[in-house]
Amino acid sequence: SGSGGDETSLHGGCPVLGGTKWAANLWVWNAPRSGYPDAPVNAEVVELNRARNGARENQPPPPGQLHATFSNSGKDERYRNAKLYFQETFWGNLGFDDPPLGVNTFQGHVWNVKVGEETVLTWTIDGRPRQTYSV
């Protein structure tokens, strides 16, 4: 168009007749969303992913992508109720009885272990294709 506007941004919203028009996005997921403490978990999907990831343990990750596994040895009482965070986003429980957490990640990503609200350990992903971290 002659106005220089982006025609792909056209939509069917009603015109503003007076005042200010406000809009907001509403994001909807069709399954439980991870990243939040106490988020619901689909146990079948978790087990399926663990089985798939275990089958891929000896295969290299895709180009640029690295794999890290985080676990709790159960030897240090300070980490009994540890939780793993990607930066400040909850990723999963990393306590004594929790299974190891395998993630696809990239060099420079920062992973934090928290106990309560306190960050007690921080790991920065380096360039190795497969990395293992344990508390």
Side-chain angles (χ1 to χ4, degrees):
S1 77
S3 67
D6 183 354
E7 291 190 24
T8 62
S9 69
L10 297 177
H11 57 86
C14 297
V16 177
L17 300 177
T20 303
K21 181 176 183 177
W22 289 81
N25 289 330
L26 173 64
W27 294 92
V28 179
W29 283 265
N30 64 353
R33 184 168 176 235
S34 62
Y36 298 96
D38 301 320
V41 174
N42 183 328
E44 289 179 35
V45 172
V46 169
E47 289 307 313
L48 179 63
N49 286 337
R50 283 198 181 120
R52 285 180 183 162
N53 287 337
R56 290 190 292 230
E57 280 300 315
N58 295 323
Q59 296 178 9
Q65 192 174 73
L66 308 173
H67 185 82
T69 301
F70 302 92
S71 63
N72 190 323
S73 67
K75 296 178 182 176
D76 191 331
E77 188 62 35
R78 295 175 297 174
Y79 301 120
R80 174 174 289 283
N81 297 309
K83 296 184 184 299
L84 181 67
Y85 286 75
F86 170 67
Q87 297 173 350
E88 293 300 318
T89 301
F90 174 77
W91 196 263
N93 293 319
L94 196 61
F96 274 13
D97 297 321
D98 296 313
L101 297 169
V103 301
N104 294 322
T105 188
F106 291 88
Q107 187 169 353
H109 278 179
V110 175
W111 294 86
N112 294 305
V113 175
K114 290 187 178 186
V115 175
E117 296 297 316
E118 181 183 357
T119 299
V120 294
L121 196 54
T122 297
W123 292 299
T124 302
I125 300 299
D126 59 35
R128 294 173 291 149
R130 298 209 170 274
Q131 299 170 50
T132 304
Y133 300 93
S134 183
V135 293

mmCIF file of all heavy atoms in Angstrom, residues 26-69:
data_model
loop_
_atom_site.group_PDB
_atom_site.id
_atom_site.type_symbol
_atom_site.label_atom_id
_atom_site.label_comp_id
_atom_site.label_asym_id
_atom_site.label_seq_id
_atom_site.Cartn_x
_atom_site.Cartn_y
_atom_site.Cartn_z
ATOM 1 N N LEU A 26 -3.071 -13.680 25.107
ATOM 2 C CA LEU A 26 -3.384 -14.772 26.020
ATOM 3 C C LEU A 26 -2.772 -16.032 25.424
ATOM 4 O O LEU A 26 -3.154 -16.455 24.329
ATOM 5 C CB LEU A 26 -4.897 -14.940 26.189
ATOM 6 C CG LEU A 26 -5.340 -16.159 26.991
ATOM 7 C CD1 LEU A 26 -4.846 -16.051 28.441
ATOM 8 C CD2 LEU A 26 -6.839 -16.300 26.950
ATOM 9 N N TRP A 27 -1.786 -16.603 26.118
ATOM 10 C CA TRP A 27 -1.123 -17.811 25.637
ATOM 11 C C TRP A 27 -1.763 -19.012 26.294
ATOM 12 O O TRP A 27 -1.951 -19.061 27.500
ATOM 13 C CB TRP A 27 0.366 -17.763 25.976
ATOM 14 C CG TRP A 27 1.062 -16.679 25.242
ATOM 15 C CD1 TRP A 27 1.271 -15.401 25.666
ATOM 16 C CD2 TRP A 27 1.606 -16.751 23.929
ATOM 17 N NE1 TRP A 27 1.922 -14.678 24.695
ATOM 18 C CE2 TRP A 27 2.146 -15.479 23.619
ATOM 19 C CE3 TRP A 27 1.700 -17.757 22.980
ATOM 20 C CZ2 TRP A 27 2.771 -15.207 22.410
ATOM 21 C CZ3 TRP A 27 2.322 -17.486 21.777
ATOM 22 C CH2 TRP A 27 2.844 -16.222 21.503
ATOM 23 N N VAL A 28 -2.085 -20.011 25.501
ATOM 24 C CA VAL A 28 -2.732 -21.212 26.007
ATOM 25 C C VAL A 28 -1.917 -22.425 25.572
ATOM 26 O O VAL A 28 -1.548 -22.539 24.407
ATOM 27 C CB VAL A 28 -4.179 -21.323 25.449
ATOM 28 C CG1 VAL A 28 -4.844 -22.579 25.962
ATOM 29 C CG2 VAL A 28 -4.981 -20.084 25.823
ATOM 30 N N TRP A 29 -1.636 -23.316 26.521
ATOM 31 C CA TRP A 29 -0.925 -24.555 26.217
ATOM 32 C C TRP A 29 -1.916 -25.698 26.302
ATOM 33 O O TRP A 29 -2.809 -25.701 27.136
ATOM 34 C CB TRP A 29 0.211 -24.775 27.217
ATOM 35 C CG TRP A 29 1.389 -23.933 26.941
ATOM 36 C CD1 TRP A 29 2.487 -24.288 26.226
ATOM 37 C CD2 TRP A 29 1.600 -22.576 27.333
ATOM 38 N NE1 TRP A 29 3.372 -23.232 26.155
ATOM 39 C CE2 TRP A 29 2.859 -22.169 26.826
ATOM 40 C CE3 TRP A 29 0.870 -21.653 28.059
ATOM 41 C CZ2 TRP A 29 3.387 -20.910 27.020
ATOM 42 C CZ3 TRP A 29 1.393 -20.392 28.258
ATOM 43 C CH2 TRP A 29 2.632 -20.039 27.736
ATOM 44 N N ASN A 30 -1.723 -26.700 25.469
ATOM 45 C CA ASN A 30 -2.627 -27.842 25.485
ATOM 46 C C ASN A 30 -2.095 -28.990 26.338
ATOM 47 O O ASN A 30 -2.556 -30.107 26.220
ATOM 48 C CB ASN A 30 -2.920 -28.323 24.061
ATOM 49 C CG ASN A 30 -1.679 -28.843 23.370
ATOM 50 O OD1 ASN A 30 -0.581 -28.728 23.905
ATOM 51 N ND2 ASN A 30 -1.842 -29.415 22.199
ATOM 52 N N ALA A 31 -1.100 -28.699 27.156
ATOM 53 C CA ALA A 31 -0.525 -29.712 28.030
ATOM 54 C C ALA A 31 0.109 -29.010 29.226
ATOM 55 O O ALA A 31 0.300 -27.794 29.205
ATOM 56 C CB ALA A 31 0.533 -30.515 27.266
ATOM 57 N N PRO A 32 0.433 -29.755 30.280
ATOM 58 C CA PRO A 32 1.120 -29.123 31.418
ATOM 59 C C PRO A 32 2.385 -28.424 30.954
ATOM 60 O O PRO A 32 3.105 -28.921 30.094
ATOM 61 C CB PRO A 32 1.444 -30.303 32.342
ATOM 62 C CG PRO A 32 0.439 -31.344 31.986
ATOM 63 C CD PRO A 32 0.196 -31.170 30.511
ATOM 64 N N ARG A 33 2.652 -27.268 31.498
ATOM 65 C CA ARG A 33 3.821 -26.481 31.113
ATOM 66 C C ARG A 33 4.862 -26.557 32.218
ATOM 67 O O ARG A 33 4.581 -26.231 33.367
ATOM 68 C CB ARG A 33 3.414 -25.024 30.881
ATOM 69 C CG ARG A 33 4.562 -24.198 30.399
ATOM 70 C CD ARG A 33 4.083 -22.858 29.900
ATOM 71 N NE ARG A 33 5.244 -22.070 29.540
ATOM 72 C CZ ARG A 33 5.493 -20.879 30.022
ATOM 73 N NH1 ARG A 33 4.668 -20.320 30.865
ATOM 74 N NH2 ARG A 33 6.569 -20.227 29.657
ATOM 75 N N SER A 34 6.065 -26.984 31.861
ATOM 76 C CA SER A 34 7.132 -27.085 32.857
ATOM 77 C C SER A 34 7.733 -25.711 33.107
ATOM 78 O O SER A 34 7.442 -24.751 32.408
ATOM 79 C CB SER A 34 8.206 -28.051 32.374
ATOM 80 O OG SER A 34 8.776 -27.560 31.175
ATOM 81 N N GLY A 35 8.582 -25.644 34.104
ATOM 82 C CA GLY A 35 9.267 -24.393 34.404
ATOM 83 C C GLY A 35 8.733 -23.697 35.630
ATOM 84 O O GLY A 35 9.200 -22.628 35.983
ATOM 85 N N TYR A 36 7.741 -24.300 36.282
ATOM 86 C CA TYR A 36 7.163 -23.695 37.471
ATOM 87 C C TYR A 36 7.118 -24.735 38.585
ATOM 88 O O TYR A 36 6.693 -25.873 38.338
ATOM 89 C CB TYR A 36 5.746 -23.191 37.191
ATOM 90 C CG TYR A 36 5.722 -22.114 36.136
ATOM 91 C CD1 TYR A 36 5.457 -22.418 34.808
ATOM 92 C CD2 TYR A 36 6.007 -20.806 36.474
ATOM 93 C CE1 TYR A 36 5.454 -21.435 33.839
ATOM 94 C CE2 TYR A 36 6.016 -19.814 35.506
ATOM 95 C CZ TYR A 36 5.731 -20.138 34.194
ATOM 96 O OH TYR A 36 5.753 -19.162 33.239
ATOM 97 N N PRO A 37 7.531 -24.351 39.791
ATOM 98 C CA PRO A 37 7.444 -25.324 40.885
ATOM 99 C C PRO A 37 6.004 -25.814 41.044
ATOM 100 O O PRO A 37 5.060 -25.051 40.880
ATOM 101 C CB PRO A 37 7.882 -24.513 42.109
ATOM 102 C CG PRO A 37 8.691 -23.394 41.554
ATOM 103 C CD PRO A 37 8.088 -23.078 40.208
ATOM 104 N N ASP A 38 5.845 -27.082 41.294
ATOM 105 C CA ASP A 38 4.550 -27.721 41.510
ATOM 106 C C ASP A 38 3.664 -27.734 40.274
ATOM 107 O O ASP A 38 2.457 -27.931 40.369
ATOM 108 C CB ASP A 38 3.803 -27.076 42.689
ATOM 109 C CG ASP A 38 4.611 -27.168 43.972
ATOM 110 O OD1 ASP A 38 5.237 -28.228 44.203
ATOM 111 O OD2 ASP A 38 4.644 -26.187 44.729
ATOM 112 N N ALA A 39 4.244 -27.492 39.078
ATOM 113 C CA ALA A 39 3.467 -27.603 37.842
ATOM 114 C C ALA A 39 3.027 -29.048 37.678
ATOM 115 O O ALA A 39 3.752 -29.965 38.049
ATOM 116 C CB ALA A 39 4.307 -27.159 36.643
ATOM 117 N N PRO A 40 1.834 -29.284 37.128
ATOM 118 C CA PRO A 40 1.412 -30.675 36.934
ATOM 119 C C PRO A 40 2.341 -31.394 35.973
ATOM 120 O O PRO A 40 2.916 -30.783 35.080
ATOM 121 C CB PRO A 40 0.002 -30.542 36.346
ATOM 122 C CG PRO A 40 -0.079 -29.157 35.820
ATOM 123 C CD PRO A 40 0.883 -28.327 36.613
ATOM 124 N N VAL A 41 2.490 -32.682 36.172
ATOM 125 C CA VAL A 41 3.401 -33.481 35.366
ATOM 126 C C VAL A 41 2.623 -34.624 34.733
ATOM 127 O O VAL A 41 1.840 -35.291 35.402
ATOM 128 C CB VAL A 41 4.546 -34.045 36.236
ATOM 129 C CG1 VAL A 41 5.418 -34.989 35.444
ATOM 130 C CG2 VAL A 41 5.368 -32.909 36.814
ATOM 131 N N ASN A 42 2.832 -34.848 33.446
ATOM 132 C CA ASN A 42 2.250 -35.986 32.754
ATOM 133 C C ASN A 42 3.266 -37.116 32.851
ATOM 134 O O ASN A 42 4.239 -37.148 32.105
ATOM 135 C CB ASN A 42 1.949 -35.623 31.302
ATOM 136 C CG ASN A 42 1.277 -36.751 30.562
ATOM 137 O OD1 ASN A 42 1.511 -37.915 30.834
ATOM 138 N ND2 ASN A 42 0.433 -36.392 29.602
ATOM 139 N N ALA A 43 3.048 -38.034 33.777
ATOM 140 C CA ALA A 43 4.026 -39.091 34.076
ATOM 141 C C ALA A 43 4.336 -39.953 32.851
ATOM 142 O O ALA A 43 5.480 -40.356 32.648
ATOM 143 C CB ALA A 43 3.529 -39.958 35.223
ATOM 144 N N GLU A 44 3.329 -40.226 32.007
ATOM 145 C CA GLU A 44 3.567 -41.044 30.820
ATOM 146 C C GLU A 44 4.543 -40.366 29.870
ATOM 147 O O GLU A 44 5.437 -41.005 29.312
ATOM 148 C CB GLU A 44 2.252 -41.319 30.091
ATOM 149 C CG GLU A 44 1.339 -42.274 30.829
ATOM 150 C CD GLU A 44 0.031 -42.488 30.084
ATOM 151 O OE1 GLU A 44 0.048 -42.496 28.840
ATOM 152 O OE2 GLU A 44 -0.994 -42.645 30.756
ATOM 153 N N VAL A 45 4.372 -39.060 29.672
ATOM 154 C CA VAL A 45 5.255 -38.314 28.778
ATOM 155 C C VAL A 45 6.661 -38.246 29.358
ATOM 156 O O VAL A 45 7.651 -38.407 28.647
ATOM 157 C CB VAL A 45 4.697 -36.897 28.510
ATOM 158 C CG1 VAL A 45 5.699 -36.045 27.751
ATOM 159 C CG2 VAL A 45 3.387 -36.984 27.744
ATOM 160 N N VAL A 46 6.770 -38.037 30.668
ATOM 161 C CA VAL A 46 8.079 -37.986 31.315
ATOM 162 C C VAL A 46 8.820 -39.305 31.100
ATOM 163 O O VAL A 46 9.993 -39.322 30.713
ATOM 164 C CB VAL A 46 7.945 -37.667 32.822
ATOM 165 C CG1 VAL A 46 9.259 -37.876 33.548
ATOM 166 C CG2 VAL A 46 7.450 -36.242 33.017
ATOM 167 N N GLU A 47 8.151 -40.433 31.324
ATOM 168 C CA GLU A 47 8.786 -41.743 31.151
ATOM 169 C C GLU A 47 9.159 -41.995 29.688
ATOM 170 O O GLU A 47 10.229 -42.531 29.398
ATOM 171 C CB GLU A 47 7.893 -42.859 31.684
ATOM 172 C CG GLU A 47 7.798 -42.880 33.199
ATOM 173 C CD GLU A 47 9.162 -42.906 33.880
ATOM 174 O OE1 GLU A 47 10.039 -43.707 33.476
ATOM 175 O OE2 GLU A 47 9.366 -42.117 34.814
ATOM 176 N N LEU A 48 8.290 -41.595 28.775
ATOM 177 C CA LEU A 48 8.587 -41.756 27.350
ATOM 178 C C LEU A 48 9.827 -40.950 26.966
ATOM 179 O O LEU A 48 10.717 -41.445 26.279
ATOM 180 C CB LEU A 48 7.386 -41.321 26.510
ATOM 181 C CG LEU A 48 7.556 -41.419 24.998
ATOM 182 C CD1 LEU A 48 7.774 -42.868 24.580
ATOM 183 C CD2 LEU A 48 6.326 -40.849 24.302
ATOM 184 N N ASN A 49 9.910 -39.716 27.426
ATOM 185 C CA ASN A 49 11.079 -38.873 27.138
ATOM 186 C C ASN A 49 12.346 -39.443 27.758
ATOM 187 O O ASN A 49 13.407 -39.411 27.139
ATOM 188 C CB ASN A 49 10.854 -37.440 27.612
ATOM 189 C CG ASN A 49 9.890 -36.690 26.722
ATOM 190 O OD1 ASN A 49 9.700 -37.038 25.569
ATOM 191 N ND2 ASN A 49 9.263 -35.667 27.269
ATOM 192 N N ARG A 50 12.241 -39.970 28.976
ATOM 193 C CA ARG A 50 13.416 -40.586 29.608
ATOM 194 C C ARG A 50 13.889 -41.781 28.796
ATOM 195 O O ARG A 50 15.082 -41.986 28.599
ATOM 196 C CB ARG A 50 13.096 -41.001 31.037
ATOM 197 C CG ARG A 50 13.080 -39.832 31.976
ATOM 198 C CD ARG A 50 13.204 -40.266 33.422
ATOM 199 N NE ARG A 50 13.153 -39.062 34.238
ATOM 200 C CZ ARG A 50 12.241 -38.839 35.164
ATOM 201 N NH1 ARG A 50 11.328 -39.738 35.437
ATOM 202 N NH2 ARG A 50 12.252 -37.714 35.846
ATOM 203 N N ALA A 51 12.957 -42.591 28.325
ATOM 204 C CA ALA A 51 13.311 -43.762 27.523
ATOM 205 C C ALA A 51 13.981 -43.320 26.218
ATOM 206 O O ALA A 51 14.990 -43.890 25.809
ATOM 207 C CB ALA A 51 12.072 -44.601 27.241
ATOM 208 N N ARG A 52 13.429 -42.298 25.583
ATOM 209 C CA ARG A 52 14.004 -41.799 24.329
ATOM 210 C C ARG A 52 15.387 -41.213 24.565
ATOM 211 O O ARG A 52 16.308 -41.449 23.795
ATOM 212 C CB ARG A 52 13.105 -40.733 23.716
ATOM 213 C CG ARG A 52 11.866 -41.274 23.082
ATOM 214 C CD ARG A 52 11.044 -40.153 22.513
ATOM 215 N NE ARG A 52 9.803 -40.647 21.956
ATOM 216 C CZ ARG A 52 8.759 -39.896 21.714
ATOM 217 N NH1 ARG A 52 8.795 -38.609 21.976
ATOM 218 N NH2 ARG A 52 7.665 -40.415 21.208
ATOM 219 N N ASN A 53 15.514 -40.421 25.624
ATOM 220 C CA ASN A 53 16.807 -39.793 25.912
ATOM 221 C C ASN A 53 17.851 -40.844 26.253
ATOM 222 O O ASN A 53 19.008 -40.719 25.866
ATOM 223 C CB ASN A 53 16.689 -38.774 27.041
ATOM 224 C CG ASN A 53 15.973 -37.520 26.595
ATOM 225 O OD1 ASN A 53 15.940 -37.211 25.407
ATOM 226 N ND2 ASN A 53 15.383 -36.811 27.536
ATOM 227 N N GLY A 54 17.457 -41.891 26.981
ATOM 228 C CA GLY A 54 18.392 -42.953 27.308
ATOM 229 C C GLY A 54 18.885 -43.662 26.061
ATOM 230 O O GLY A 54 20.046 -44.028 25.966
ATOM 231 N N ALA A 55 18.009 -43.820 25.083
ATOM 232 C CA ALA A 55 18.391 -44.477 23.834
ATOM 233 C C ALA A 55 19.355 -43.618 23.023
ATOM 234 O O ALA A 55 20.082 -44.118 22.186
ATOM 235 C CB ALA A 55 17.144 -44.783 23.011
ATOM 236 N N ARG A 56 19.359 -42.316 23.283
ATOM 237 C CA ARG A 56 20.213 -41.403 22.514
ATOM 238 C C ARG A 56 21.498 -41.043 23.249
ATOM 239 O O ARG A 56 22.264 -40.223 22.771
ATOM 240 C CB ARG A 56 19.442 -40.116 22.212
ATOM 241 C CG ARG A 56 18.324 -40.326 21.224
ATOM 242 C CD ARG A 56 17.775 -39.005 20.787
ATOM 243 N NE ARG A 56 17.097 -38.335 21.873
ATOM 244 C CZ ARG A 56 15.885 -37.822 21.784
ATOM 245 N NH1 ARG A 56 15.223 -37.870 20.675
ATOM 246 N NH2 ARG A 56 15.339 -37.228 22.821
ATOM 247 N N GLU A 57 21.737 -41.623 24.420
ATOM 248 C CA GLU A 57 22.889 -41.245 25.228
ATOM 249 C C GLU A 57 24.209 -41.337 24.468
ATOM 250 O O GLU A 57 25.098 -40.547 24.683
ATOM 251 C CB GLU A 57 22.973 -42.099 26.495
ATOM 252 C CG GLU A 57 22.054 -41.645 27.594
ATOM 253 C CD GLU A 57 22.322 -40.224 28.065
ATOM 254 O OE1 GLU A 57 23.486 -39.853 28.276
ATOM 255 O OE2 GLU A 57 21.354 -39.479 28.230
ATOM 256 N N ASN A 58 24.357 -42.309 23.594
ATOM 257 C CA ASN A 58 25.629 -42.495 22.895
ATOM 258 C C ASN A 58 25.686 -41.785 21.552
ATOM 259 O O ASN A 58 26.659 -41.912 20.830
ATOM 260 C CB ASN A 58 25.900 -43.995 22.706
ATOM 261 C CG ASN A 58 26.106 -44.671 24.047
ATOM 262 O OD1 ASN A 58 26.699 -44.085 24.950
ATOM 263 N ND2 ASN A 58 25.609 -45.879 24.181
ATOM 264 N N GLN A 59 24.634 -41.060 21.214
ATOM 265 C CA GLN A 59 24.625 -40.315 19.958
ATOM 266 C C GLN A 59 25.011 -38.867 20.234
ATOM 267 O O GLN A 59 24.666 -38.310 21.271
ATOM 268 C CB GLN A 59 23.235 -40.345 19.326
ATOM 269 C CG GLN A 59 22.794 -41.732 18.932
ATOM 270 C CD GLN A 59 21.383 -41.717 18.364
ATOM 271 O OE1 GLN A 59 20.817 -40.668 18.125
ATOM 272 N NE2 GLN A 59 20.835 -42.886 18.168
ATOM 273 N N PRO A 60 25.728 -38.235 19.310
ATOM 274 C CA PRO A 60 26.075 -36.829 19.530
ATOM 275 C C PRO A 60 24.842 -35.944 19.418
ATOM 276 O O PRO A 60 23.927 -36.249 18.658
ATOM 277 C CB PRO A 60 27.064 -36.533 18.399
ATOM 278 C CG PRO A 60 26.758 -37.539 17.350
ATOM 279 C CD PRO A 60 26.249 -38.755 18.065
ATOM 280 N N PRO A 61 24.787 -34.856 20.191
ATOM 281 C CA PRO A 61 23.661 -33.935 20.071
ATOM 282 C C PRO A 61 23.709 -33.211 18.726
ATOM 283 O O PRO A 61 24.745 -33.211 18.059
ATOM 284 C CB PRO A 61 23.868 -32.960 21.236
ATOM 285 C CG PRO A 61 25.274 -33.125 21.665
ATOM 286 C CD PRO A 61 25.734 -34.469 21.214
ATOM 287 N N PRO A 62 22.603 -32.584 18.313
ATOM 288 C CA PRO A 62 22.595 -31.835 17.058
ATOM 289 C C PRO A 62 23.663 -30.736 17.075
ATOM 290 O O PRO A 62 24.086 -30.287 18.152
ATOM 291 C CB PRO A 62 21.192 -31.221 17.013
ATOM 292 C CG PRO A 62 20.369 -32.070 17.929
ATOM 293 C CD PRO A 62 21.312 -32.570 18.980
ATOM 294 N N PRO A 63 24.106 -30.274 15.899
ATOM 295 C CA PRO A 63 25.148 -29.233 15.841
ATOM 296 C C PRO A 63 24.782 -28.009 16.674
ATOM 297 O O PRO A 63 23.661 -27.522 16.612
ATOM 298 C CB PRO A 63 25.203 -28.875 14.353
ATOM 299 C CG PRO A 63 24.660 -30.070 13.651
ATOM 300 C CD PRO A 63 23.649 -30.681 14.590
ATOM 301 N N GLY A 64 25.739 -27.550 17.468
ATOM 302 C CA GLY A 64 25.537 -26.369 18.306
ATOM 303 C C GLY A 64 24.866 -26.662 19.622
ATOM 304 O O GLY A 64 24.953 -25.894 20.552
ATOM 305 N N GLN A 65 24.173 -27.789 19.702
ATOM 306 C CA GLN A 65 23.457 -28.129 20.920
ATOM 307 C C GLN A 65 24.308 -29.069 21.762
ATOM 308 O O GLN A 65 24.976 -29.952 21.242
ATOM 309 C CB GLN A 65 22.129 -28.781 20.572
ATOM 310 C CG GLN A 65 21.204 -28.907 21.753
ATOM 311 C CD GLN A 65 19.857 -29.435 21.312
ATOM 312 O OE1 GLN A 65 19.754 -30.610 20.989
ATOM 313 N NE2 GLN A 65 18.860 -28.587 21.269
ATOM 314 N N LEU A 66 24.280 -28.870 23.044
ATOM 315 C CA LEU A 66 25.042 -29.692 23.979
ATOM 316 C C LEU A 66 24.060 -30.411 24.893
ATOM 317 O O LEU A 66 22.899 -30.026 24.988
ATOM 318 C CB LEU A 66 25.984 -28.802 24.790
ATOM 319 C CG LEU A 66 26.871 -27.869 23.960
ATOM 320 C CD1 LEU A 66 27.629 -26.912 24.844
ATOM 321 C CD2 LEU A 66 27.817 -28.660 23.084
ATOM 322 N N HIS A 67 24.531 -31.435 25.575
ATOM 323 C CA HIS A 67 23.678 -32.171 26.502
ATOM 324 C C HIS A 67 24.320 -32.145 27.883
ATOM 325 O O HIS A 67 25.522 -32.394 28.016
ATOM 326 C CB HIS A 67 23.475 -33.613 26.049
ATOM 327 C CG HIS A 67 22.523 -34.357 26.909
ATOM 328 N ND1 HIS A 67 21.160 -34.262 26.750
ATOM 329 C CD2 HIS A 67 22.716 -35.174 27.962
ATOM 330 C CE1 HIS A 67 20.563 -34.998 27.663
ATOM 331 N NE2 HIS A 67 21.493 -35.565 28.418
ATOM 332 N N ALA A 68 23.510 -31.846 28.883
ATOM 333 C CA ALA A 68 23.992 -31.850 30.266
ATOM 334 C C ALA A 68 23.059 -32.706 31.109
ATOM 335 O O ALA A 68 21.847 -32.707 30.901
ATOM 336 C CB ALA A 68 24.055 -30.430 30.826
ATOM 337 N N THR A 69 23.657 -33.437 32.040
ATOM 338 C CA THR A 69 22.890 -34.230 32.992
ATOM 339 C C THR A 69 23.221 -33.731 34.384
ATOM 340 O O THR A 69 24.393 -33.582 34.741
ATOM 341 C CB THR A 69 23.235 -35.727 32.862
ATOM 342 O OG1 THR A 69 22.948 -36.148 31.530
ATOM 343 C CG2 THR A 69 22.430 -36.556 33.842
#
